[in-house]
Amino acid sequence: MQSFTELTPPTAVTHSLSLPFLSASANNLVVAKTSLLQIFSLKSVLNDTTATSDHLLQARRPSFHGPASTTGVPRHGERAPTTKLVLIAQYELSGVVTSLARVKLQDSRSGGEALLVSLRNAKLSLVEWDPERYSISTISIHLYERDDTQGSPWEPDIEDNLSYLSVDPRSRCAALKFGARHLAILPFHQPGDDLVMDDYDSDLDDEKPETLESAAKKEEGPKEAATTPYGASFVLSMLALDPSLLHPVHLAFLYEYRDPTFGVLSSQVASSTSLLHERRDTLSYTVITLDLEQRASTALLSVNSLPYDLFTIIPLRLPIGGTLLIGGNEIIHVDQAGKTNGAAVNEFGRSSTSFALADQSDLGLRLEGCVVEQLGHDGSELLLLMNNGELSIVGFKIDGRSVSGLSVRRVPESNGGLACLAGPSCASLIGRGRMFVGSEEADSVVLGWSRKLDKLKRQRSITEMDADEELEATDMEDDIDDDDDLYSGAKTEEKAIELLPTSDMPDQTDDYRFRIHDSLDNFGPMRSVALGKPPQQSSTDALVMDASGLELLATSGRSRAGGLTTFRRQIEPRALERHLVPNVSRLWTVAVSKSSDGRANDQQSEGLHNYMITSTHSKGEQRSTAYSLAGQGMEEVQDTEFDPDAGATIDVGTLNNGSRLVQVLASELRTFDRDFSLAQIFPMADEATGAEPRILSASFSDPFLLLVRDDESILVLRADESGELDEVEQGDNLRQKGFRAGSLYEDANDVFRLESDAEIEDDAGNVLIFLLTVAGGLQIFRLPDLEQQVYKANGLALLPPFLTPEFSARRTQAKEDLIELLVTDLGDTSHKAPYLVLRSATNDVIIYQPFQSPVAGTRDTILHFLKIPNSSSSKKSLSVSYDDDGEVKREPMRAIHGLNGYSTVFLPGDSPTFVIKSASSPPQLISLNEKSVQSLSGLNTPTCERGFTYIDQSGNIKFAQLPVDCHYHTGWVTRKTTFGEDVHAIDYHEPSRSYVIGVSRKVDFELPEDETHPEWSSESTSFLPQVEQGTVKLFDKKTWSIIDSFPLTTTEVVMCIKTLSLEISEHTHERQTLVCVGTAIVRGGEDLPAQGRILVFNVIDVVPEPERPETAHKLKLIAQAEVKGAVTALSEIGTQGFLLAAQGQKCIVRGLKEDGSLLPVAFMDMQCYTTVAKGLKGTGMCLMGDAVKGVWFAGYYEDPYQLRLFGKSTSHLEVLAGDLLPDGKNLYLVVADANSNIHVFQFDPEHPKSQTGHLLLPLSTFHTASFPTTLTLLPSPSPTSSQSILLTSTTGSLSLLTPLSPATHRTLTALQSHLQTTLPHPLGLNPRAFRSAGEGEGGMGMGIGGAGAGGRGGGVIDGMVVRRWMEGGRWRWWEGGVGVGECVGEGMGMGMGGLRGLV
């Protein structure tokens, strides 16, 4: 009984699409990351390249193998217009996305286009944007996985075939290719379907004229169109379309056709490189038009005898038109008449085909896995992104309206030709001069370009450009030429001949310049992980935080993007100063200017803090102290009118443009000028009633000040031009009291769009006051009018998913006890937006995002709030302080701006937490690595720029900064570095506190001299194949540098690295921590067997290099053994310090001898290819997995030496990774297969179905969306805690498999079932069916909730569903029967405790 939870979301981008989604005029980007769907908007900013928070500079950080590449990065200090991605929404899907397409519907809720998503196993989901709920809305879902679509019995299953989607450019229908050769057609209703002009384009032309026929159909259409925007879909066999489509390769809909028309690339016989001498040119390109009404088709043209290695079809818009066919060695253009033009881009392009191709073999390009996109919607050139990240331009020579030739040219490195570090997975044009390039092997980037033209230059006024056209001067010149091409008829053809580059125009090889605008971090593919201790700082640096716990290092990226990524659960601040102030409990930092106009000295002009106010508490006495921060450290301010004995300070802020410092005390306010001369005392005593309410909290927004008092009343003050405070008159609503918390917010961008009915002429700005009532409601007033509220929502305490003024719930007793409210901006330097942050009495944090919902039938909007999903929940209690009477007071949340570029919220207490948001991520809650923080404030001084100061658990005041080059968008603290090489394996060497990594790089392979093969010496090709050459390196985490390297032989690569405690002496039985490396040597071809080596290194101490103290360690080879077959897995086994090695088709136990040899003592014959061999530390039990046959459970005996098989799996599994999971007295075997399934087995010889232990009992099977790479048993955090298994994947996500007690499992099972039926699931998908792994997917027929082995297993809990328990609103926690009742009632401490332990 286990639970599966994703710790970090997938980061590898698989698909992308640009479309107007949120509205008809919007420009949005939709990104799919396997099972995560994200929607972005584009924002143009003036980028300051000096900002340290700019992650673009971090992405181009220097590598360890050479100098940094500055390609595409603006020079230091430049301010260039830059396009940034701003996240609108993201959704976790119960499915794997295979394609994205845009569909223009007759009518949509937002006015924009709809999104059609295809998923694995032949599913289609049509969604649109719902502006009323600020979320996607599923229109329909279509399933085509049926038994009757299966053809021959020997045909592969649907899930074993690639399915992809293509949509007609005019949105008349969509085609889903699934299975071996099936096509599902989904028609869409469009106005005037029968009138389609050949030269009509809805994006360019005016409104289409209406004919009598289309008008008549429009009268009949509304009845059907009002029900669904689509017609009845149907499934066709591709053989019914054309009998020659026996082996389809790819298909896509084409432009410029009257009826829906698509091109198909196929062959009648299977293509094969090994049969190239017999099957040379086997492919055909066929253009087929569809008749949707008759469900018939007609073949328009066919081009035969095409090269065998073509793999994709790229439809081209005007002015090029036609289709581009891409192969591994060539590019071919086919126009509407079937005329072809092509170019061979390497030496094999001419030798592998008889098709006529232009010779450009000197380019030496490898086109496998490349992506092609037009440079602009009306662009006449294409951008070719190759699988190694290099960029090339494809140009066409046009004669009249036909293409007469094409050419390819590389983009020089100086012009950004290497801006992408690895191969792309997708590309989408997102505007003029902007393109999004997604990748599964490197960071996805927003790629921008500019162009120089020597001819036809005309200047364009800046005022004529749209906001989306904030390009460089060279872009403006290109835009005017493009507009002429669009609207000038015959003149277009003349210009196209001049402007389109050919091989005869070498002077334009540097006309495009590319640079990176923005990026999305990608941590995949993770091939190996290692757990290590954070590096210890030098003893002289006593201010650095003491590192605690473990950190995770994972390999990431491929090719030039290969490197390492560090994952930490908490923020490790970099402390700069420490000051001891006895009994300090609170602190504030302020920047006070000299005058009310904001002008001051140089410090204030830079926004530097110059004062700190502290509050201390000792033996019932509370004092306040002022410190100056102008010099070094802290210096107490003396001989001023600031009274330390006035009592404890509640809050501190500035008003009157920073010229007045306001000290909020419990019973009064005091204002000071810059030199702490007392300007005003404002008491809280009520002259009419004589009451003296005490102040609980304060909120500042110049010129207003909000006070919340202990009698549930509020007081709003305003500073006049001289800085004097005066009370703002309140209305009857506020005089009735009943308020618990409040916050001021200046809505400078008018996000809330709240206006008072009264006409107010005031220059105070758009300042709003947000109030939390005792009854749990929200009230908003627009200052200075406090007579009438501008917004009211009474259901805030019910925590609904959508908060509206009309919301109400049946169960009023289900309200959350909210104690605090804060409205502030969250974001980074690229984008900030206001959020409503709430905190409950149990220290849970709830975040709401405001949005404008349209009012039906009008153009007006109304303010609604959307609850942001947040899986984090309280772990410890709130921090408390004491007032003068010793009463308990909670430390409030604090908004921090300018924290290394971030606008954040800090939650003090015993679990100090930051709420951090970047432009491309949702808000994340990340803890600070301190046991307790009593108070924290932002700090910006010359010695601590854009940092913070806080009080730790020892009462010290520390000045600190956020760690350098770290990101927070996954909810973890991550730091990424690139080596420029593939990183295959990593492990931690504890004695030296360093990491050992295995890397490789591509080198050209030349045939060696061999007397038995004299023909090898006559090889004359210059286009050589490439092989990997490995290196073992020693990596110092403290300095992020390579300190030693051990090169391997040619064609030898590292397969695995393990740091093991091995016995080094047969006589003394001394043991030592050594580094064991398993390698594979590929000897030149598939016909020769592979060999391998086992290398044993010791990390020794040496004299460091000058000025490099980290080089005090070096790798020393002490033993090696050459073996037959690749060494694929290494592990420690037994108690005597022996080594278990998986080599070839054997697993052998070896012992290290004093002479440097590895003596085999026991072995076991394996089947095909051993992918995993792991032993349970301190025992002889081990798990071994085979890539074909399944999993074995074996035991190692030391007297006599013997390796014996205990049990094996009942069915064949493609095991990729696995590990042993102990849970009390139980031992489970957990493996992951090639179908992304997790299988849990148990060895129980007493069970009758195990056949006396010969068979492993399958307990449960669980499907994950990501392809697994490693399973690692984590150390137990405490002796009483159970261990968990960490899973990594190719998509860059981290997951956790955690054992659960039977009681916790029952509670969470009930909650899971309740949530699966009550919560809305994006795209209308079924999470229960998604997690189930049937027999066809390599499962055991036991999905989630299913039990195996006679009911022994309880299934794996889907933590992704269970952790959504806070999304449904507070009242839903009381619904759903006994299961959820247990979660909220008696099971809260048990079930939710288990849930909180997972996340």
Side-chain angles (χ1 to χ4, degrees):
M1 294 176 286
Q2 298 82 23
S3 175
F4 174 87
T5 305
E6 279 190 3
L7 301 179
T8 62
T11 57
V13 174
T14 56
H15 303 85
S16 65
L17 179 68
S18 176
L19 78 164
F21 192 56
L22 270 63
S23 65
S25 59
N27 185 15
N28 300 116
L29 176 70
V30 179
V31 170
K33 300 178 178 178
T34 311
S35 59
L36 182 69
L37 191 70
Q38 294 181 317
I39 302 172
F40 295 92
S41 65
L42 304 177
K43 181 179 181 180
S44 181
V45 299
L46 198 60
N47 183 40
D48 185 1
T49 60
T50 61
T52 58
S53 62
D54 190 354
H55 60 279
L56 297 182
L57 295 180
Q58 175 174 291
R60 322 305 296 182
R61 210 169 28 248
S63 60
F64 298 108
H65 67 283
S69 172
T70 58
T71 299
V73 180
R75 291 185 297 271
H76 185 74
E78 280 189 0
R79 295 181 65 84
T82 304
T83 299
K84 296 290 185 178
L85 297 177
V86 178
L87 181 68
I88 300 298
Q90 70 176 24
Y91 305 94
E92 296 173 350
L93 306 180
S94 298
V96 177
V97 176
T98 59
S99 294
L100 298 174
R102 54 190 290 184
V103 178
K104 185 177 295 184
L105 303 179
Q106 282 185 333
D107 185 24
S108 65
R109 299 185 181 183
S110 65
E113 297 185 7
L115 176 67
L116 187 62
V117 184
S118 72
L119 301 108
R120 191 180 294 170
N121 297 340
K123 296 183 179 68
L124 281 180
S125 184
L126 182 64
V127 296
E128 64 179 346
W129 183 256
D130 186 358
E132 295 183 1
R133 301 178 67 86
Y134 206 72
S135 177
I136 61 174
S137 175
T138 304
I139 300 175
S140 63
I141 185 169
H142 309 266
L143 309 178
Y144 299 101
E145 187 180 13
R146 300 182 304 178
D147 294 336
D148 56 356
T149 59
Q150 189 72 23
S152 306
W154 52 82
E155 283 189 2
D157 296 330
I158 290 179
E159 59 269 11
D160 296 330
N161 287 276
L162 177 64
S163 62
Y164 50 87
L165 177 69
S166 182
V167 174
D168 174 61
R170 293 173 185 168
S171 300
R172 291 167 292 190
C173 68
L176 174 68
K177 189 269 176 185
F178 66 97
R181 53 184 68 87
H182 286 93
L183 203 62
I185 306 298
L186 178 62
F188 297 103
H189 299 304
Q190 296 294 338
D193 289 335
D194 296 328
L195 177 64
V196 181
M197 298 180 293
D198 291 341
D199 57 348
Y200 174 77
D201 192 321
S202 59
D203 296 331
L204 303 178
D205 296 346
D206 295 331
E207 184 178 355
K208 191 162 43 181
E210 183 175 315
T211 63
L212 294 176
E213 183 179 359
S214 61
K217 291 204 170 189
K218 184 182 292 186
E219 296 177 359
E220 302 174 0
K223 187 173 183 180
E224 182 180 0
T227 56
T228 60
Y230 54 87
S233 63
F234 53 93
V235 176
L236 297 174
S237 172
M238 298 190 71
L239 295 178
L241 300 177
D242 193 321
S244 64
L245 306 180
L246 188 61
H247 297 280
V249 176
H250 193 236
L251 68 85
F253 278 95
L254 309 179
Y255 296 92
E256 304 177 71
Y257 283 91
R258 178 181 300 274
D259 295 319
T261 304
F262 58 87
V264 183
L265 194 62
S266 64
S267 65
Q268 295 189 15
V269 295
S271 301
S272 174
T273 304
S274 60
L275 299 177
L276 191 58
H277 59 287
E278 296 182 1
R279 304 178 182 179
R280 191 174 182 84
D281 296 324
T282 58
L283 295 183
S284 299
Y285 172 69
T286 307
V287 177
I288 300 175
T289 183
L290 290 175
D291 187 342
L292 298 178
E293 294 183 359
Q294 302 297 326
R295 298 188 178 183
S297 63
T298 303
L300 300 183
L301 65 89
S302 180
V303 180
N304 301 317
S305 300
L306 293 173
Y308 80 102
D309 59 346
L310 297 175
F311 58 87
T312 190
I313 299 174
I314 308 295
L316 301 179
R317 308 180 187 90
L318 290 176
I320 304 173
T323 306
L324 197 68
L325 308 179
I326 307 295
N329 307 309
E330 64 281 319
I331 299 177
I332 300 175
H333 178 268
V334 183
D335 65 8
Q336 284 188 326
K339 179 184 175 182
T340 60
N341 293 277
V345 296
N346 57 50
E347 292 184 12
F348 297 107
R350 297 295 300 272
S351 60
S352 62
T353 179
S354 301
F355 194 83
L357 298 172
D359 187 8
Q360 285 194 274
S361 58
D362 57 318
L363 293 172
L365 302 181
R366 292 175 169 88
L367 300 184
E368 293 84 359
C370 70
V371 173
V372 180
E373 184 63 52
Q374 283 188 249
L375 289 169
H377 291 290
D378 51 2
S380 54
E381 292 177 316
L382 308 179
L383 179 62
L384 180 63
L385 301 104
M386 285 165 288
N387 59 2
N388 60 357
E390 295 182 5
L391 306 181
S392 298
I393 303 296
V394 181
F396 297 87
K397 183 178 181 180
I398 300 179
D399 294 331
R401 292 182 60 89
S402 64
V403 175
S404 60
L406 63 87
S407 64
V408 184
R409 66 186 188 276
R410 291 179 181 267
V411 178
E413 181 179 357
S414 59
N415 287 6
L418 300 179
C420 300
L421 298 180
S425 59
C426 56
S428 299
L429 196 64
I430 57 177
R432 287 189 180 274
R434 306 293 186 267
M435 181 185 298
F436 176 79
V437 180
S439 178
E440 299 181 72
E441 303 174 353
D443 294 347
S444 300
V445 299
V446 176
L447 189 66
W449 64 87
S450 59
R451 187 180 185 188
K452 281 184 185 176
L453 294 178
D454 296 329
K455 303 177 182 179
L456 304 176
K457 287 186 177 181
R458 287 185 294 179
Q459 293 295 331
R460 186 177 181 181
S461 173
I462 297 293
T463 59
E464 296 176 356
M465 298 184 64
D466 297 327
D468 293 338
E469 296 178 337
E470 295 179 1
L471 307 178
E472 300 166 306
T474 53
D475 290 332
M476 303 175 196
E477 298 160 2
D478 191 32
D479 291 343
I480 198 75
D481 294 324
D482 292 339
D483 293 339
D484 289 342
D485 292 345
L486 282 175
Y487 301 110
S488 61
K491 190 176 180 181
T492 303
E493 300 171 3
E494 298 175 1
K495 285 189 177 182
I497 296 175
E498 276 190 310
L499 296 180
L500 296 180
T502 66
S503 57
D504 298 329
M505 302 172 67
D507 57 321
Q508 292 190 2
T509 55
D510 61 343
D511 53 352
Y512 286 98
R513 301 182 65 88
F514 294 87
R515 70 180 180 96
I516 303 297
H517 287 237
D518 199 2
S519 65
L520 300 178
D521 283 349
N522 176 25
F523 305 132
M526 297 178 177
R527 302 181 182 180
S528 180
V529 295
L531 291 170
K533 294 182 179 180
Q536 291 182 344
Q537 305 293 335
S538 60
S539 58
T540 57
D541 190 4
L543 300 180
V544 178
M545 305 299 171
D546 295 329
S548 61
L550 298 175
E551 64 180 1
L552 176 70
L553 256 70
T555 64
S556 60
R558 286 197 178 113
S559 186
R560 290 181 290 114
L564 297 176
T565 302
T566 303
F567 292 86
R568 288 187 63 89
R569 196 64 187 92
Q570 297 178 321
I571 295 176
E572 195 75 38
R574 189 168 66 95
L576 304 177
E577 299 180 26
R578 179 167 53 193
H579 304 274
L580 179 60
V581 179
N583 305 313
V584 63
S585 59
R586 287 184 176 182
L587 59 80
W588 298 264
T589 57
V590 290
V592 184
S593 61
K594 288 185 176 180
S595 58
S596 61
D597 58 3
R599 290 178 296 180
N601 55 13
D602 294 338
Q603 280 192 357
Q604 180 61 27
S605 63
E606 297 176 4
L608 299 182
H609 293 104
N610 43 23
Y611 291 108
M612 175 188 293
I613 311 297
T614 64
S615 180
T616 59
H617 178 274
S618 175
K619 298 180 181 180
E621 180 182 356
Q622 296 190 0
R623 291 171 54 87
S624 298
T625 309
Y627 295 90
S628 173
L629 303 176
Q632 295 292 330
M634 298 168 48
E635 182 179 352
E636 185 175 352
V637 177
Q638 298 179 350
D639 300 330
T640 64
E641 297 182 5
F642 184 86
D643 185 8
D645 298 323
T649 301
I650 304 299
D651 205 343
V652 175
T654 59
L655 294 176
N656 199 27
N657 290 329
S659 63
R660 286 295 174 91
L661 185 148
V662 181
Q663 181 189 17
V664 181
L665 302 174
S667 57
E668 64 184 17
L669 302 180
R670 297 190 176 192
T671 63
F672 303 88
D673 57 16
R674 181 179 173 84
D675 56 2
F676 277 95
S677 298
L678 183 63
Q680 182 184 8
I681 297 179
F682 195 99
M684 289 295 103
D686 190 340
E687 298 178 356
T689 62
E692 295 184 1
R694 301 174 64 84
I695 300 174
L696 298 180
S697 63
S699 179
F700 292 84
S701 181
D702 200 6
F704 297 101
L705 170 60
L706 168 67
L707 303 176
V708 180
R709 301 184 288 191
D710 60 356
D711 61 348
E712 299 180 353
S713 66
I714 68 166
L715 179 65
V716 181
L717 304 178
R718 179 172 182 172
D720 58 17
E721 295 181 356
S722 63
E724 294 294 322
L725 295 177
D726 193 11
E727 182 178 353
V728 179
E729 184 178 354
Q730 300 181 7
D732 295 336
N733 292 332
L734 298 182
R735 295 193 187 99
Q736 295 176 1
K737 303 182 180 181
F739 300 101
R740 175 170 291 183
S743 176
L744 294 178
Y745 177 76
E746 183 177 2
D747 190 12
N749 297 323
D750 199 20
V751 176
F752 293 92
R753 301 182 189 175
L754 297 175
E755 296 182 0
S756 176
D757 295 336
E759 295 184 1
I760 302 175
E761 294 183 2
D762 198 290
D763 57 353
N766 188 13
V767 180
L768 302 176
I769 175 173
F770 295 77
L771 298 176
L772 173 65
T773 65
V774 176
L778 174 66
Q779 295 185 16
I780 305 177
F781 294 81
R782 188 171 185 264
L783 293 174
D785 180 17
L786 296 181
E787 296 289 338
Q788 182 65 37
Q789 58 197 9
V790 294
Y791 190 84
K792 182 178 182 180
N794 294 325
L796 179 62
L798 296 171
L799 306 182
F802 296 92
L803 178 64
T804 64
E806 302 82 13
F807 175 80
S808 63
R810 295 170 297 176
R811 295 181 178 269
T812 58
Q813 71 273 22
K815 291 184 178 181
E816 182 73 9
D817 186 12
L818 300 177
I819 61 172
E820 199 170 348
L821 172 147
L822 178 63
V823 179
T824 185
D825 286 334
L826 294 178
D828 55 16
T829 55
S830 299
H831 177 75
K832 299 175 185 177
Y835 286 85
L836 171 64
V837 184
L838 305 170
R839 185 157 65 161
S840 68
T842 57
N843 205 20
D844 288 328
V845 178
I846 304 96
I847 304 175
Y848 278 91
Q849 177 185 2
F851 70 95
Q852 297 295 327
S853 177
V855 179
T858 66
R859 294 185 177 182
D860 298 333
T861 61
I862 187 172
L863 177 63
H864 288 175
F865 290 87
L866 171 68
K867 185 163 68 172
I868 303 299
N870 172 31
S871 60
S872 300
S873 54
S874 62
K875 298 178 177 64
K876 297 181 181 179
S877 60
L878 291 169
S879 176
V880 297
S881 57
Y882 303 88
D883 59 12
D884 295 333
D885 299 330
E887 297 180 356
V888 175
K889 295 172 57 180
R890 295 183 175 91
E891 183 68 18
M893 297 183 293
R894 188 88 52 96
I896 311 294
H897 300 286
L899 185 59
N900 198 25
Y902 290 99
S903 295
T904 69
V905 171
F906 180 76
L907 288 75
D910 294 334
S911 57
T913 304
F914 280 104
V915 181
I916 300 182
K917 183 189 182 305
S918 63
S920 58
S921 71
Q924 303 288 354
L925 273 69
I926 306 179
S927 301
L928 187 68
N929 188 17
E930 290 282 357
K931 294 181 180 179
S932 175
V933 172
Q934 302 177 39
S935 182
L936 183 144
S937 181
L939 182 64
N940 187 22
T941 64
T943 59
C944 183
E945 295 183 1
R946 301 196 302 174
F948 57 95
T949 178
Y950 65 98
I951 305 172
D952 64 6
Q953 65 273 12
S954 301
N956 297 319
I957 296 179
K958 291 183 178 180
F959 294 179
Q961 293 176 330
L962 291 179
V964 180
D965 295 336
C966 289
H967 290 175
Y968 312 96
H969 57 269
T970 61
W972 289 56
V973 183
T974 61
R975 181 178 178 181
K976 186 176 179 181
T977 185
T978 56
F979 296 154
E981 298 176 307
D982 283 326
V983 184
H984 298 276
I986 182 175
D987 206 2
Y988 178 67
H989 187 261
E990 185 172 0
S992 64
R993 289 189 173 269
S994 58
Y995 291 86
V996 183
I997 60 176
V999 302
S1000 69
R1001 58 187 177 89
K1002 296 285 188 179
V1003 296
D1004 291 337
F1005 176 76
E1006 296 183 0
L1007 293 174
E1009 295 182 1
D1010 193 331
E1011 295 180 356
T1012 60
H1013 296 279
E1015 69 277 6
W1016 288 2
S1017 61
S1018 61
E1019 185 182 25
S1020 60
T1021 179
S1022 60
F1023 190 65
L1024 297 174
Q1026 292 186 320
V1027 295
E1028 292 179 314
Q1029 181 172 0
T1031 306
V1032 181
K1033 295 186 177 183
L1034 194 61
F1035 174 68
D1036 181 64
K1037 174 65 168 51
K1038 182 178 178 180
T1039 59
W1040 291 81
S1041 61
I1042 299 296
I1043 58 179
D1044 192 26
S1045 298
F1046 183 87
L1048 303 178
T1049 61
T1050 306
T1051 71
E1052 184 178 15
V1053 295
V1054 175
M1055 301 294 292
C1056 54
I1057 294 179
K1058 292 294 179 183
T1059 302
L1060 308 175
S1061 177
L1062 301 182
E1063 183 182 279
I1064 61 174
S1065 175
E1066 302 175 73
H1067 305 290
T1068 63
H1069 302 290
E1070 180 186 356
R1071 300 178 71 165
Q1072 191 173 5
T1073 302
L1074 302 175
V1075 178
C1076 301
V1077 180
T1079 69
I1081 304 174
V1082 182
R1083 297 193 299 165
E1086 299 177 355
D1087 56 334
L1088 299 177
Q1091 292 182 337
R1093 286 198 301 171
I1094 302 175
L1095 306 176
V1096 182
F1097 294 92
N1098 187 15
V1099 181
I1100 61 175
D1101 297 332
V1102 296
V1103 178
E1105 299 176 6
E1107 300 181 356
R1108 292 195 65 191
E1110 69 275 9
T1111 58
H1113 303 289
K1114 191 176 183 63
L1115 291 170
K1116 179 183 179 181
L1117 180 65
I1118 63 174
Q1120 64 174 320
E1122 295 185 2
V1123 299
K1124 295 181 179 179
V1127 181
T1128 56
L1130 295 171
S1131 176
E1132 184 179 346
I1133 192 168
T1135 60
Q1136 296 180 340
F1138 283 3
L1139 168 69
L1140 174 65
Q1143 52 187 72
Q1145 294 180 326
K1146 292 182 181 295
C1147 280
I1148 300 180
V1149 179
R1150 294 176 178 267
L1152 179 62
K1153 298 182 66 177
E1154 294 179 349
D1155 60 357
S1157 62
L1158 294 170
L1159 179 66
V1161 297
F1163 75 95
M1164 177 181 291
D1165 288 322
M1166 304 301 291
Q1167 295 288 329
C1168 298
Y1169 182 86
T1170 305
T1171 56
V1172 58
K1174 289 188 177 181
L1176 188 62
K1177 190 174 183 179
T1179 70
M1181 295 178 288
C1182 61
L1183 175 149
M1184 291 174 283
D1186 190 271
V1188 178
K1189 296 297 184 180
V1191 59
W1192 286 267
F1193 180 53
Y1196 168 66
Y1197 295 87
E1198 297 175 347
D1199 189 16
Y1201 295 130
Q1202 187 180 7
L1203 195 58
R1204 180 182 299 178
L1205 177 65
F1206 289 161
K1208 60 182 181 180
S1209 57
T1210 57
S1211 61
H1212 293 172
L1213 295 175
E1214 299 178 57
V1215 177
L1216 299 180
D1219 211 333
L1220 297 164
L1221 177 62
D1223 182 19
K1225 296 182 179 181
N1226 299 320
L1227 179 63
Y1228 303 102
L1229 290 83
V1230 182
V1231 297
D1233 66 12
N1235 291 320
S1236 303
N1237 297 326
I1238 297 175
H1239 303 270
V1240 181
F1241 297 91
Q1242 186 178 18
F1243 175 71
D1244 187 358
E1246 298 180 358
H1247 196 277
K1249 289 188 177 181
S1250 68
Q1251 298 181 9
T1252 66
H1254 288 82
L1255 299 178
L1256 297 175
L1257 300 177
L1259 298 184
S1260 56
T1261 304
F1262 186 86
H1263 180 70
T1264 67
S1266 302
F1267 193 78
T1269 53
T1270 65
L1271 273 70
T1272 305
L1273 182 65
L1274 300 179
S1276 177
S1278 65
T1280 59
S1281 302
S1282 59
Q1283 294 179 271
S1284 301
I1285 287 183
L1286 179 71
L1287 296 90
T1288 61
S1289 66
T1290 57
T1291 61
S1293 64
L1294 297 175
S1295 305
L1296 197 67
L1297 189 70
T1298 304
L1300 300 176
S1301 65
T1304 303
H1305 187 274
R1306 287 193 299 269
T1307 304
L1308 295 183
T1309 300
L1311 177 60
Q1312 174 183 263
S1313 300
H1314 173 69
L1315 295 177
Q1316 286 174 341
T1317 56
T1318 57
L1319 288 180
H1321 302 292
L1323 275 62
L1325 301 174
N1326 185 353
R1328 181 184 296 273
F1330 171 63
R1331 295 302 187 184
S1332 299
E1335 297 290 348
E1337 296 184 356
M1340 303 296 178
M1342 291 161 262
I1344 69 171
R1352 294 170 57 88
V1356 178
I1357 297 294
D1358 187 359
M1360 304 302 294
V1361 173
V1362 174
R1363 72 179 183 180
R1364 297 178 59 192
W1365 66 285
M1366 295 184 66
E1367 291 186 20
R1370 188 62 172 84
W1371 76 96
R1372 289 197 180 276
W1373 299 1
W1374 297 82
E1375 299 177 355
V1378 64
V1380 181
E1382 290 178 355
C1383 292
V1384 181
E1386 65 183 45
M1388 179 64 76
M1390 176 183 61
M1392 292 301 114
L1395 171 63
R1396 290 168 179 171
L1398 297 179
V1399 298

